[in-house]
Amino acid sequence: MTSNASASLTISVTELTKKYGRVFALNAVSIDVRAGEFLTLLGPSGSGKTTLLMAIAGFNRPDSGRICFADEDITVLPPHKRGVGMVFQNYALFPHMSVFENVAFPLKLRKISAEEKHHRVMEALKTVQLSGYAERGIDQLSGGQRQRVALARAFVFGPKILLMDEPLSALDKKLREEMQIELKQLHRQLGVTTVYVTHDQREALTMSDRIAVINEGELAQIGTPREIYNRPANQFVASFIGESSFIPLHRNDSGQLVHESVAVLPVPNEETGKEWSLVIRPERLLLEKPKAKRTNGKIFFDGVITELVYQGETAIVMIELGNGKIVTSRANTRAGDDVDSLELGQKVSVSIDKNDAIVIPGGTK
Amino acid sequence: MSWWQKAASETQVTHRQRVWLYILATIIMFLLVIPTVIVIPMSFSESQYLEFPPREWSLRWYHEYLNTPRWVNATITSFKVATLTMLVATPFGTMAAYGLFVSGGRMSKMLFFTLMTPMIVPVILIAIGTFYVFGRIGLVNSIFGLVMAHTVLSVPIVMIIVTSALRTYDLNQERVAQSLGSTRIRAFFEITLPQLKFSIVTAALLAFLTSFDEVIISIFLSGGGNSTLTKQMFSALRDYIDPTIAAISTLMILLSTGLMLSLQILGGRGAR
Ligand SMILES: Nc1ncnc2c1ncn2[C@@H]1O[C@H](COP(=O)(O)OP(=O)(O)O)[C@@H](O)[C@H]1O
Ligand SMILES: [Mg+2]
């Protein structure tokens, strides 16, 4: 099977809205998926990810908005005419058919000759490393193998779009991590536009070209894993992806953001709000040596250690600042960092590089 | 250590402590089975009257049954009605169960409950009601009328069985099939139906038995040349008692047990 990005389609979702009763499962969501891209819909349970994926697959009709594949409006096209491959969390294999029959099912529907069908099924099974398993029954397979069969069945007919709804969440951690890598490789090999749903932020960061963060039926942010992690657009994204501490900042008249009457950063954009928050990732908040020089490129905080958790390669240090705010630092346990000598109740200084400082509009809740 | 001092299960309870339970269970078993089984020896009696235990054995009453046109006709009618009921109630019940299950929501629950009412309402009320209505439209004493009434009784049974099978069925399979290019109808017939097969066959056999064993509606709605076996038995019991009834009952027990047994065997294979 050759990589063929031109055989994949763009998906554009425009102002899509879907209500169940009075609940907005989707509220004016617009997302453009590029051809050949691996896009992940990431959000907590109940945020509307499945609803969006099912709308793309054709299993629910949106109340308003449009979905296009390339230039074709397919908002109300029945699912069997959309030609998308789908993989579900619980695999949804057909238990009354063998592995071969499962994978051959979409080819049978397309009336492909027996010889060609056999060839393509075997090729697909080889791709998912299940060559010797064609004649097995579904109940003779392990969870990981079932997932692979489901995958082979979804791409064997050469769909231009692949949709997956939490396909790995039923697997144990180790297998899940292996499959993440395999899925990524498979995507690279097939070059098919893929929309992948997960509620696991690490999985999203690992696998995606871009991540669309969904919260309560709305698109919270879309961007590459780096953008999402380094430049979260709001408090939800900052706290859902990675760990964060928040420190309230005020904007003064000269356009500076102020923490406890010290101007720390310029306002990053045109927004006029008075209340801002500084987002601090634990691994970027560094413990300072007692007499360290306070350089200009860093923001410093003084506080008292309230919690110490030793975790092997790193240690978690929680520090209460003067105003009662608690920030978390993840410190290396290397000898030079002196983490072992820290004690509860000890006064410490911590700092964050201004380049690592993330500022988001809105107060800290 | 003798058997009854041993533990009866993964607890410290011994068989001796459980003896009362075994006795109780045996008594209950007997109470359940005896009234049914007692007709079997009675049917092989030589006597003119129902008698237990029979003093002399013979197949006389089986000959009597097979050589009386009244009984034979009634038997044919019963088979006809039961078969037709099965053929009507099974697809309707299955479609209703599937439709209501898939669509969900409060409306579906209400409709489901409505279709269940024949199981809750005393059958005599249904019998009187249908008798009255069918009398108006000339369906009393017709096979068609009987089949309709028995279908009303059988549909809830089919629905319960098929719905419970659907509860353990993953509807995403149908979705996947559709995404792979199958129409919804085809997905139902190729993916869903084969997996409900065993439940539907069970439901069909129970629909058959529901009709075949049914007395009350048959008393009201069947008569003349279209009397069912149960109706004929009931009339016979009222007029004169002879062991033909016992012979027929034995055959009916045989039929029911046979069907149930084949279901068990089928189920054993289906589970694998
Ligand atoms: N068929 C449905 N009927 C009623 N509410 C639904 C239905 N499907 C989803 N919802 C609601 O829509 C919201 C989004 O659900 P879903 O898309 O399944 O979330 P996710 O996949 O992100 O966990 C939830 O509040 C859920 O309860
Ligand atoms: Mg979901």
Side-chain angles (χ1 to χ4, degrees):
Chain A
M1 234 158 279
T2 52
S3 170
N4 191 357
S6 65
S8 56
L9 290 177
T10 59
I11 306 169
S12 55
V13 175
T14 316
E15 297 279 315
L16 207 68
T17 298
K18 174 80 186 173
K19 276 167 93 174
Y20 288 113
R22 235 167 293 156
V23 183
F24 279 95
L26 292 175
N27 192 358
V29 172
S30 298
I31 294 176
D32 282 312
V33 190
R34 298 167 189 155
E37 178 175 42
F38 194 114
L39 181 107
T40 297
L41 303 178
L42 173 65
S45 166
S47 56
K49 307 179 297 291
T50 298
T51 306
L52 178 53
L53 202 74
M54 288 300 151
I56 297 174
F59 293 109
N60 64 43
R61 181 182 284 225
D63 299 327
S64 65
R66 279 192 319 143
I67 305 171
C68 296
F69 291 171
D71 296 328
E72 191 190 354
D73 187 334
I74 51 92
T75 316
V76 295
L77 194 72
H80 68 274
K81 293 188 179 157
R82 297 194 181 198
V84 301
M86 287 198 79
V87 181
F88 284 93
Q89 174 183 346
N90 47 11
Y91 322 128
L93 294 175
F94 309 137
H96 59 301
M97 299 181 184
S98 68
V99 169
F100 183 92
E101 288 167 327
N102 264 276
V103 179
F105 185 77
L107 303 177
K108 192 176 86 181
L109 292 169
R110 285 166 178 74
K111 303 202 165 53
I112 283 167
S113 73
E115 201 182 328
E116 167 82 5
K117 189 168 74 181
H118 187 265
H119 174 73
R120 280 170 70 173
V121 171
M122 287 308 170
E123 193 76 4
L125 286 177
K126 201 168 113 196
T127 308
V128 295
Q129 297 160 35
L130 284 178
S131 286
Y133 291 78
E135 298 315 318
R136 295 267 184 115
I138 298 306
D139 52 0
Q140 295 167 291
L141 301 179
S142 70
Q145 290 168 339
R146 286 178 198 203
Q147 190 56 73
R148 282 163 211 226
V149 176
L151 211 55
R153 184 181 62 179
F155 70 72
V156 69
F157 63 103
K160 295 179 174 174
I161 289 168
L162 206 52
L163 306 176
M164 303 193 228
D165 194 354
E166 314 217 8
L168 305 183
S169 58
L171 303 177
D172 63 47
K173 186 167 178 289
K174 188 163 170 291
L175 192 56
R176 191 162 66 225
E177 285 169 1
E178 282 171 24
M179 285 295 291
Q180 286 171 3
I181 305 295
E182 273 183 44
L183 269 180
K184 218 179 137 140
Q185 286 168 348
L186 182 72
H187 170 254
R188 217 172 285 142
Q189 193 180 340
L190 299 174
V192 57
T193 309
T194 303
V195 181
Y196 185 95
V197 166
T198 183
H199 62 264
D200 179 344
Q201 43 118 356
R202 188 159 296 279
E203 189 165 290
L205 292 171
T206 305
M207 303 183 70
S208 322
D209 293 328
R210 284 194 306 157
I211 299 172
V213 185
I214 313 273
N215 184 34
E216 297 185 345
E218 299 189 12
L219 181 64
Q221 188 175 359
I222 183 164
T224 64
R226 274 161 219 272
E227 283 165 0
I228 298 279
Y229 189 79
N230 290 332
R231 295 280 166 252
N234 52 49
Q235 186 157 6
F236 173 78
V237 176
S239 48
F240 191 68
I241 292 131
E243 293 164 55
S244 302
S245 309
F246 297 95
I247 291 179
L249 300 175
H250 291 281
R251 174 201 166 104
N252 69 11
D253 296 334
S254 50
Q256 291 286 311
L257 294 175
V258 176
H259 170 67
E260 301 197 325
S261 64
V262 182
V264 290
L265 288 166
V267 173
N269 56 30
E270 305 297 300
E271 288 198 47
T272 55
K274 269 229 160 316
E275 306 291 318
W276 294 73
S277 296
L278 176 63
V279 180
I280 297 177
R281 301 294 195 188
E283 75 280 6
R284 298 178 187 184
L285 186 67
L286 305 179
L287 292 161
E288 287 293 336
K289 298 263 179 336
K291 300 214 172 62
K293 231 182 108 206
R294 305 221 153 178
T295 53
N296 224 346
K298 292 180 177 181
I299 309 167
F300 287 85
F301 304 96
D302 297 313
V304 175
I305 297 179
T306 59
E307 190 68 76
L308 273 170
V309 183
Y310 182 76
Q311 292 184 328
E313 71 272 37
T314 55
I316 303 288
V317 186
M318 291 192 184
I319 299 139
E320 186 174 338
L321 305 183
N323 53 9
K325 271 275 158 198
I326 293 180
V327 293
T328 305
S329 167
R330 183 184 288 276
N332 274 310
T333 48
R334 286 184 308 230
D337 289 353
D338 293 335
V339 170
D340 288 346
S341 65
L342 295 176
E343 284 170 23
L344 288 184
Q346 186 181 335
K347 284 189 176 173
V348 286
S349 300
V350 286
S351 73
I352 181 167
D353 193 301
K354 285 186 178 172
N355 292 320
D356 282 336
I358 305 159
V359 176
I360 57 176
T364 304
K365 274 160 235 157
Chain B
M1 198 160 54
S2 65
W3 171 80
W4 71 332
Q5 285 168 322
K6 285 192 188 142
S9 67
E10 296 297 321
T11 61
Q12 297 305 318
V13 182
T14 62
H15 285 293
R16 189 212 299 257
Q17 286 166 303
R18 281 232 177 133
V19 161
W20 67 273
L21 199 58
Y22 298 152
I23 293 172
L24 184 66
T26 314
I27 292 172
I28 293 173
M29 288 286 284
F30 267 99
L31 286 177
L32 286 176
V33 173
I34 288 290
T36 318
V37 177
I38 201 151
V39 301
I40 297 176
M42 281 155 84
S43 73
F44 292 104
S45 160
E46 171 62 37
S47 158
Q48 284 280 351
Y49 309 98
L50 284 173
E51 173 180 274
F52 187 84
R55 273 167 297 184
E56 260 183 283
W57 302 89
S58 87
L59 288 175
R60 162 177 180 194
W61 300 109
Y62 288 87
H63 285 290
E64 177 77 19
Y65 163 62
L66 290 172
N67 292 316
T68 311
R70 199 161 33 97
W71 288 123
V72 176
N73 284 341
T75 308
I76 292 170
T77 304
S78 274
F79 267 102
K80 248 193 232 166
V81 172
T83 308
L84 287 171
T85 300
M86 173 179 86
L87 290 179
V88 176
T90 310
F92 277 145
T94 304
M95 287 195 289
Y98 177 82
L100 294 178
F101 183 81
V102 168
S103 47
R106 204 181 311 154
M107 190 68 183
S108 301
K109 282 214 183 78
M110 273 165 53
L111 275 171
F112 190 89
F113 187 76
T114 311
L115 287 165
M116 284 298 126
T117 44
M119 291 201 89
I120 300 151
V121 176
V123 180
I124 186 94
L125 288 185
I126 300 174
I128 293 168
T130 33
F131 180 70
Y132 180 75
V133 176
F134 284 9
R136 289 287 175 96
I137 56 178
L139 282 178
V140 174
N141 291 357
S142 73
I143 298 258
F144 181 69
L146 261 180
V147 169
M148 289 235 294
H150 281 175
T151 299
V152 167
L153 288 189
S154 305
V155 160
I157 296 168
V158 175
M159 285 178 68
I160 286 177
I161 294 172
V162 175
T163 303
S164 84
L166 281 167
R167 269 187 231 289
T168 60
Y169 174 71
D170 177 16
L171 274 173
N172 276 343
Q173 288 182 41
E174 254 183 40
R175 295 215 179 89
V176 163
Q178 281 174 268
S179 77
L180 296 174
S182 162
T183 58
R184 176 127 195 220
I185 297 274
R186 184 156 181 191
F188 175 78
F189 279 105
E190 284 195 29
I191 306 298
T192 307
L193 205 56
Q195 294 179 62
L196 300 179
K197 202 167 50 187
F198 173 68
S199 301
I200 292 175
V201 171
T202 307
L205 291 182
L206 285 177
F208 180 91
L209 286 180
T210 302
S211 165
F212 199 81
D213 292 344
E214 203 283 327
V215 191
I216 301 171
I217 290 180
S218 299
I219 288 173
F220 277 81
L221 290 188
S222 78
N226 282 334
S227 291
T228 67
L229 194 54
T230 47
K231 155 109 181 192
Q232 201 59 251
M233 287 166 80
F234 192 79
S235 321
L237 277 172
R238 218 176 31 190
D239 303 342
Y240 54 91
I241 294 190
D242 75 31
T244 318
I245 303 278
I248 298 171
S249 302
T250 305
L251 291 173
M252 285 176 85
I253 293 169
L254 211 68
L255 177 74
S256 302
T257 339
L259 287 181
M260 286 303 138
L261 238 96
S262 53
L263 273 184
Q264 289 293 322
I265 294 164
L266 225 80
R269 256 193 295 148
R272 232 179 292 146

